[in-house]
Amino acid sequence: MGWWKSYAGDERFSSSTLTVLIGIFAVLWLLWPIKKQRKAAVPPLPPGPRGLPIVGYLPFIGTELHIKFEQLCGLYGPIYKVWFANKLCIVISSPLLVKEVVRDQDAVFSNRDVNKAILAITYGGVDIAFSPNGPNWKMLRKMFVREMLSASNLDTTFTLRREEMKSLAKAKEEGKTKTGKKDFLQVLLEIREQNNGAYSISMTQLKAVLVDIVVGASDTITTMSEWVMARLMKHSETMRKVHEELTEIVGMDNLVEESHLPKLQYLDAVIKETFRLHPPFPFLVPRTPSESRIIGGYHVPKGSSIFVNVWAIQRNSMYWDNPLEFIPERFLNDGYGRVDYSGNNFKYFPFGSGRRICAGLTLGERTLKYILASFLHSFEWKLPQGSEIDVSDTYGVVTKKKNPTVAIPTPRLSKSELYTE
Ligand code: HEM
């Protein structure tokens, strides 16, 4: 108290200090209700599990993120938050809220959440998948979808796919792949050389787009081929129906051509049902809002990471009957409304939705169906004696089978030349 007495004795100090203090109190007193009102106007963050200081919820997520996120959805509802260290992640798991993010507020939620590893792989994020929603992304995407993956380009590149498919079915001599058709690299180089104003791309952008094609196409298509084969070997009656359809549409003395694909409706339903249970990207490719928004009545801050939980939605009994059962027939009638890969049905969107929907959808869908139809038409598939199909999965860049499928093919077609020509 000695210090106070010495100051209080100073008359100049006591009167001026008092005036200042009273002023501060008066301002705070006046501002307090306004602050309270403003606070009330900003809704709270979504609910979510408590984590530890600094690391947040990281120590508790384990390795199977898709299963953990589905469990948390059961506890906290269709929108919740999880802190991974200082990164705020918002997980969305209902069709209604997905629509808000990818349709109603699509422009704000169409940026990707990029980290240093992604920047390194994608030449600084100049590719299609990780470019911010802006002119560079628009130009690359337009070039990719309209020029490279146009219907006519896909038709002309079929010869390349057929060569590859044949080479899988028989021992192929080296150097036989010259078909005279342009592959995607040649198409890209041509577009770059033309430099006609509509698409002006640098060599770095060209390399980044090639990375998108390799990453986007290879793991997704191979993983899905394995899932479909595994499901068919587990469900022998479904396999029988697929073979029956192939026999009828393609015939036992022909190989599958892409022109057969639109007629293979049952196989189509089998593939759709497999995508429902095993979407390769369980949370799509995470997005980040360019400004703070309200979703489902909660505050979703700018820069947070948005996980759209397609895996949980496609397995939820609120939206699907017997959701964990493999029933391709559900896609043959319209009981679930129109269900395709266009991303317009927010109960089913394995290729994503909105303006950032998969840019390689047409190629992915067509190639996957062609590979599967060819494998299934050309061979009978049997499991090695004593083994069983296990359909558990494991989380990764792409969600794969936990244990690989081993199957033994035996030729099925009537003419042996079909395997050797
Ligand atoms: C089984 C096949 C495939 C599946 C299931 C798949 C799935 C997806 C998903 C879920 C997204 C994120 C969509 C979103 O955020 O809404 C995506 C984006 C993308 N995919 Fe695919 N994909 C497949 C095949 C392909 C293929 C064959 C290519 C290229 C040839 C490709 C290229 C891309 C690109 C470039 C993007 C980024 C689009 C953008 O950000 O604008 N994908 N894909």
Side-chain angles (χ1 to χ4, degrees), residues 273 276 314 316-323 325 327-340 344-348:
E273 178 70 338
R276 185 183 69 78
Q314 292 184 172
N316 191 323
S317 59
M318 278 163 76
Y319 319 120
W320 300 91
D321 298 331
N322 305 315
E325 279 176 36
I327 312 173
E329 285 73 11
R330 67 174 95 230
F331 288 101
L332 291 177
N333 55 47
D334 279 347
Y336 294 90
R338 200 175 130 76
V339 184
D340 55 21
N344 291 323
N345 183 329
F346 300 105
K347 292 178 209 155
Y348 184 83

Side-chain angles (χ1 to χ4, degrees), residues 109-131:
F109 283 91
S110 281
N111 286 314
R112 296 291 188 204
D113 193 19
V114 213
N115 57 36
K116 283 190 181 146
I118 287 170
L119 288 178
I121 300 166
T122 58
Y123 298 91
V126 296
D127 65 331
I128 303 171
F130 293 98
S131 277

Side-chain angles (χ1 to χ4, degrees), residues 112 128-129 137 141 216-217 220 281 285 287 350-353 356 358 360:
R112 296 291 188 204
I128 303 171
W137 168 74
R141 187 163 170 126
T220 49
F281 298 108
V285 180
R287 299 165 180 221
F351 285 86
S353 183
R356 300 242 38 170
C358 175

